[in-house]
Amino acid sequence: MSYDFNTIEAKWQAYWAENGTFRAENSSDRPKYYVLDMFPYPSGAGLHVGHPLGYIASDIYARYKRHKGFNVLHPQGYDSFGLPAEQYAIQTGQHPAVTTKENITRYREQLDKIGFSFDWSREVKTSDPKFYKWTQWIFTELFNSWYDNEADKARSISELEKVFSKEGNTKVQAVCDEDVTEFTADDWNGFSLKEKQKVLLKYRLTYLAETEVNWCPQLGTVLANDEIVNGVSERGGYPVIRKKMTQWSMRISAYAQRLIDGLNTIDWPQPLKDSQTNWIGRSEGASVTFKIKDHDEVIDVFTTRPDTIFGVSFMTLAPEHELVSKITTSEQKSEIEAYIEATAKRSERDRMADVKTISGVFTGAYAEHPFTKELVPIWIGDYVLAGYGTGAVMAVPCGDQRDYDFAKHFGIDILNIFEGIDISEEAFADKDNTIIANSDFLNGLKYKKAVKTAIYELEKLGQGEGKINYRLRDAVFSRQRYWGEPFPVYYVDGMPKMIDLKHLPIELPEVEKYLPTETGEPPLGRADVWAWDAEKNEVVANDLINHTTVFPLELNTMPGWAGSSYYFNRYMDPNNENEVFSQDAIEYWKEVDLYIGGSEHATGHLLYARFWQKFLFDIGITPVDEFAKKLINQGMILGTSAIVYRISGSNKYVSKGLKDQYDVEELRVDVNMINASDELLPEDLKNWQPQFKDAEFELEEGKYIVGREVEKMSKRWFNVVNPDGICEQYGADSLRLYEMFLGPLEQAKPWNTAGITGVHSFLKKLWKLYHDGEEFGVADTEPTKDNLKTLHKTIKKVEEDIENFSFNTSVSTFMIAVNELTAQKCNARAVLEPLLVLVSPYAPHIAEELWSKLGHNQSIATATFPLFEEKHLVESTKQYPISFNGKMRFTMELSLDLSKDDIEAAVMAHEKTQQQLEGRTPKKVIVVPGKIVNVVG
RNA sequence: GCUCAAGUGGCGGAAUUGGUAGACGCGCUGGAUUCAAAAUCCAGUUCUUUCGGGAGUGUGGGUUCGAUUCCCACCUUGAGUACCA
């Protein structure tokens, strides 16, 4: 009976589905363990072999944990809102929901073939109204909250209203918009309802504000900072410009410090933590207020170097700074306006590409130095970013290279405030190795002391204070798209109102086209039925809007990261219609124990999800404020493209070794035609595409050898390998083993189908081990010592490997075990049965098949992981090398269960050792059981 | 520029409380089996050699009886980020 993997795999996949083998219960006597993958966006292209890498790793771990006696939650779902389906809809008119459904079906088929132990009864889809009902609900909760800096947590907005009506806002320590003005309780109580709403909006954790956004004209939508890569959109690579728009934002900045602090409590990769820390960008310094000559307004700046305040010789504002128009003198007006216009036109990308050119314009206005009271000119320049700090800097040319370059370029004074430092060529930015000079009360002080003193003096003047600044900006939450969650928001008199939970979800309306309207409104503006009847509490036709009972609904939709920011909690109780999840469920599962996914989400999904989790914790519905205890980033699997060389201007192709003799063009061809020795059969190429039909070939040694190039797996390089094909040809177990065998989980590595024969022949050998000729057969005989040694060596190694996520090395361990047991002609049930349990997380189908043949009628998933016993390893002899003085080496037979003294005596008695020692006594004999004996003279 | 990670055969990679470097697999070479191929099995495969050996884990130092592993400096590659005041 041969190893018929196709039949076996189909059989067990059906069995698992029918029996609900991997269904997790929300309560158990066993300890819980939650293993999660980052859920996929179901794209039209389907899965390639790179996608399941992380899923296989997490599946191995989940299956292992079940063998170890845990109640394991291992769910899967789809992040099914997104741009590609919508772009496709725009081109074809096909409803994104239809495309998405088809893609999900395809994904599911592909996933099922690989034999994952997902609990599909818990599947979630972010585009499913049953799911996004809760995305909308969380949005309303954020709207109804503010951040209390004193309690360091989010609190209900109704509590804030009570405080305002009692004592105004002067004592409130809240994270809020910059432009909040002070008011008393009497002021507050005198405000109209609309005025109150306007004020509260400045405090809410999700708020509506006119902000500078990253606008992508080609995509017709705004983008978050993490959706822009190198100044162009992540999707499509289109240019991005700055634009002012009224948008919903999330006050993630309120959580900046907790997002940094929380990193210490979780086991995530250091590079990922570093990139989040960088992204949040905490810097300590001071805010300093500069008065402006002949104006009431002041300029606030943030600086990390208050110690250099006496080096200030000018100030620079970002061109977009709101004070620019107010302070510019009439003589300078035209020049300033021209400059502002020129900067606004430049795209993010141009600005980034051109960081060397120094540009700026003098406003004509002067600021007053807080200590010297001297006047310093106020400039604008695009090296100052509107989005960082206050969008204004106090320029200290001697201590900052950019200020220095600017000053040199425009002939502004450069004051030297560093003792014994030459600044004639460049600025001196090293803060640790200097003493301040020419700085009044700061003279003679070192950096740290000078900073403290400067802040103290500024506070005394009332013109500054110590401040911590974060680079992290609030996240824009509106997208001018169709295929996203609608906001549960309608507008009364221009002010947003939330729709109550009992009327959620607000479902996406049907539209004729998925493009913005002719008047520039988002696609939802095209919906006939898209207004809120506040009396009937339902969505009605938007032509009914009368502004007394029927109101316009928000036309934007939420960004892609909305649903993915809490889906991991929803898996705990996915079908709950009354709550996002029950308290029983979340108290039981608490958080994700192991999360596996790509590092590209470091500053997007993984940051937003941590933010929402902290918010949900603050409002008391999650028991922990970090959602994933441990996280592993799996590396990308790259494609190995195949290249043929065509002699220019002909249809003749030369083998790789001959290409240098000709003028050749490189063409990529389908990698699936290439064999293990990089050989391409000319016939295959001729049949592949019409253009090669009449191709001629120049071979080397009768073969056509292709060139190889490792690059991203992509259709356009013809280097995509599909898991379905592999499963058909070698089986899912081979695919699973090979994906792990390729290399360490975290590393990027190229795929090369040729190598899969190695793991495939391992499976065949494993199969043979349980068969005597054609017949299945194991014996109830006593295992030999060697049998047990092999088994226990394997148990130990595999257990260690899985715990350390070194799945690649355990595949090797299995191969060695099977080779050894085959050589030992082992057919003892006592060895072969536990061996299957070890193998089953990696190759579950073959394990189930052999397990059932062994007479078990329960899935192997319920079997207990075998117990390792040390004694089986030490009861044998081995050759040990002995080295003397690190130079002379020879070996001798030693039994491992000898005592240290015995070994020492044996070494001393050894003839060769005695020769080497020449009568001297060795200082020590080092014995490492199972490893080596070393004699030191 | 800044931050981080990594450098081991033809290739993917093993070995780190410091102890026989190159496990395991691919590829390659030879052999068995076969009419032949595939498949399977066996042997070999870091380099070098006058067959005694010698060299060897990016480079140069250091600690140690002993270093791929620890320390210092440098080089290279990859990733992230970038006018962050």
Side-chain angles (χ1 to χ4, degrees), chain A residues 70 167 206 252 292 302 360 448 577 597 632 668 676 703 753 818 879 912:
Chain A
F70 287 82
E167 54 191 35
T206 181
I252 186 173
I292 307 170
F302 173 75
K448 272 192 177 169
E577 289 179 12
I632 292 179
R668 281 170 173 74
K703 292 174 177 176
T753 304
V818 165
Q879 281 223 319
K912 251 180 155 181

Side-chain angles (χ1 to χ4, degrees), chain A residues 842-913:
Chain A
Y842 293 81
H845 308 87
I846 193 173
E848 285 280 19
E849 177 71 12
L850 294 171
W851 187 252
S852 83
K853 286 189 169 185
L854 282 166
H856 298 278
N857 47 25
Q858 290 283 311
S859 165
I860 194 169
T862 61
T864 305
F865 202 79
L867 201 67
F868 167 67
E869 292 173 68
E870 182 86 41
K871 65 178 181 194
H872 296 298
L873 291 197
V874 292
E875 282 178 4
S876 57
T877 59
K878 200 186 160 190
Q879 281 223 319
Y880 289 94
I882 295 174
S883 75
F884 171 65
N885 269 356
K887 282 194 172 177
M888 288 153 264
R889 275 200 196 111
F890 42 87
T891 61
M892 62 186 290
E893 290 265 325
L894 281 175
S895 174
L896 262 175
D897 49 9
L898 291 175
S899 73
K900 194 179 164 186
D901 288 345
D902 291 340
I903 293 172
E904 198 168 337
V907 170
M908 289 303 293
H910 193 266
E911 194 186 332
K912 251 180 155 181
T913 315

